[in-house]
Amino acid sequence: MNTRVPVTLIAGFLGSGKTTLINTLLQGEHGLNITVLVNDFGAVNIDADLILKREREVVELSNGCVCCSIQSDLVAQLQALFRSGNSPEYLLIEASGVSQPGRIASVFGYPQLRNYARLDAVVTLLDAENTDMLSDNCQQLVQAQIAAADIAVLTKTDLVDVQRVGDFRERWLFPDLPSYEARDGHVPLQYLLDTGLHDPSSTALLQSNPAAGFYSQSWSSQKPFCYARFKSALGALPASVFRAKGVLYCIDFPDTRIVFQKVGSRLEFRHDGPWRGTPETRLVIIGEDGLD
């Protein structure tokens, strides 16, 4: 009997819906003690009533799940996790939107990990609405993410017509690659967890830098902003900025935390309840060229 911890790697370009999918999996009726490693813990919008305890790098959830942020040395962090007295029953890893997931997949072949865990599947998310509008550099990265995939999940298919979805599948997906469509992050759990689809000998590796040409900048302020002016500023960002996210401390709603997202030309703002701590605007911007 294989007692190694199964691992699912969630990959996909920036804004493809990884956070939404992970939140759905966290709150699913699976009965598993799941640990989730994420690149940016603050990006995972976990419902407040699910949180039991929040520490600097770990959040304990009421359904037995735990969320941690990925540190610089993934292998060392995984070793510590699997050798702890509370090893997970299942592990989800969110890959960076500008990473090649084959590089992460390859670490599960390392001697110090292969006795503890097995990579069950690499799940790559594809944004059916925005992928075709990415630059050549970004599309090459998306192709590398697909090459490493054991399962493809098409997101935002409800925002485009059926013919366009069909054309997208034909142009982007390999014919023998299992694929599903997600609506608001919902894909049946049995299609994504404990599938046994990953073949270690097929792990796709690239020698080039997977994040070449990309940049990320963060900024924060405890000064409240005008909602309309902030929204206008985000909308005026150049096309080279294809992802922005964060929380807004707003003059118009000073007691409410506003979560915002920008993917391509689409902006989304939502009220996220009262502030938990000191009100502060926090912004992360990701693109291809430098930005002042």
Side-chain angles (χ1 to χ4, degrees):
M1 182 177 179
N2 193 341
T3 59
R4 295 179 298 167
V5 175
V7 181
T8 296
L9 175 58
I10 307 294
F13 194 70
L14 298 159
S16 59
K18 296 187 297 298
T19 295
T20 302
L21 178 64
I22 288 173
N23 280 335
T24 300
L25 293 176
L26 273 177
Q27 299 177 46
E29 296 182 0
H30 41 64
L32 294 173
N33 171 17
I34 290 182
T35 291
V36 184
L37 295 181
V38 296
N39 297 299
D40 178 6
F41 168 68
V44 177
N45 303 314
I46 302 168
D47 293 341
D49 58 356
L50 284 177
I51 297 177
L52 286 180
K53 183 172 61 177
R54 182 189 296 269
E55 298 177 356
R56 182 181 177 190
E57 301 295 348
V58 179
V59 166
E60 181 183 350
L61 305 179
S62 59
N63 61 357
C65 300
V66 172
C67 276
C68 312
S69 63
I70 293 178
Q71 304 300 300
S72 57
D73 190 340
L74 177 61
V75 174
Q77 190 172 358
L78 289 170
Q79 276 188 287
L81 175 66
F82 295 135
R83 293 176 179 177
S84 70
N86 189 28
S87 181
E89 295 176 33
Y90 209 101
L91 177 64
L92 296 176
I93 299 179
E94 179 196 6
S96 165
V98 294
S99 71
Q100 206 292 84
R103 292 177 178 271
I104 299 176
S106 68
V107 306
F108 291 95
Y110 288 12
Q112 58 266 54
L113 293 179
R114 62 190 178 204
N115 291 329
Y116 294 96
R118 63 172 177 87
L119 183 59
D120 179 74
V122 177
V123 179
T124 295
L125 276 61
L126 295 165
D127 181 343
E129 183 189 25
N130 294 301
T131 300
D132 286 327
M133 294 182 284
L134 296 174
S135 68
D136 289 345
N137 184 39
C138 295
Q139 289 194 8
Q140 289 175 11
L141 179 55
V142 171
Q143 289 170 346
Q145 293 171 343
I146 296 171
D150 300 301
I151 302 169
V153 174
L154 273 60
T155 63
K156 306 179 187 177
T157 54
D158 54 323
L159 303 178
V160 297
D161 59 51
V162 175
Q163 179 64 45
R164 185 174 165 189
V165 173
D167 292 343
F168 184 87
R169 282 182 174 275
E170 185 174 343
R171 286 182 290 104
W172 283 95
L173 298 184
F174 300 110
D176 59 346
L177 179 63
S179 62
Y180 309 99
E181 294 183 19
R183 298 295 179 97
D184 296 323
H186 292 281
V187 177
L189 294 178
Q190 67 268 25
Y191 295 162
L192 302 182
L193 300 182
D194 209 11
T195 65
L197 287 176
H198 183 71
D199 178 2
S201 65
S202 67
T203 298
L205 292 174
L206 291 183
Q207 297 304 314
S208 60
N209 181 357
F214 297 98
Y215 76 92
S216 174
Q217 292 185 355
S218 59
W219 182 85
S220 63
S221 174
Q222 294 185 355
K223 175 184 176 181
F225 285 86
C226 168
Y227 176 85
R229 292 185 65 186
F230 189 89
K231 184 175 181 180
S232 177
L234 282 186
L237 289 172
S240 59
V241 175
F242 39 74
R243 189 76 168 99
K245 60 184 178 181
V247 294
L248 172 63
Y249 176 28
C250 185
I251 293 173
D252 312 62
F253 315 100
D255 298 324
T256 302
R257 185 174 182 258
I258 308 295
V259 175
F260 62 87
Q261 307 250 11
K262 177 185 185 298
V263 180
S265 60
R266 173 174 298 154
L267 293 175
E268 177 183 301
F269 291 80
R270 67 177 178 84
H271 291 242
D272 192 45
W275 287 96
R276 299 179 286 275
T278 303
E280 182 181 43
T281 293
R282 298 192 300 275
L283 171 66
V284 176
I285 290 179
I286 304 172
E288 286 187 285
D289 300 315
L291 180 71
D292 185 348

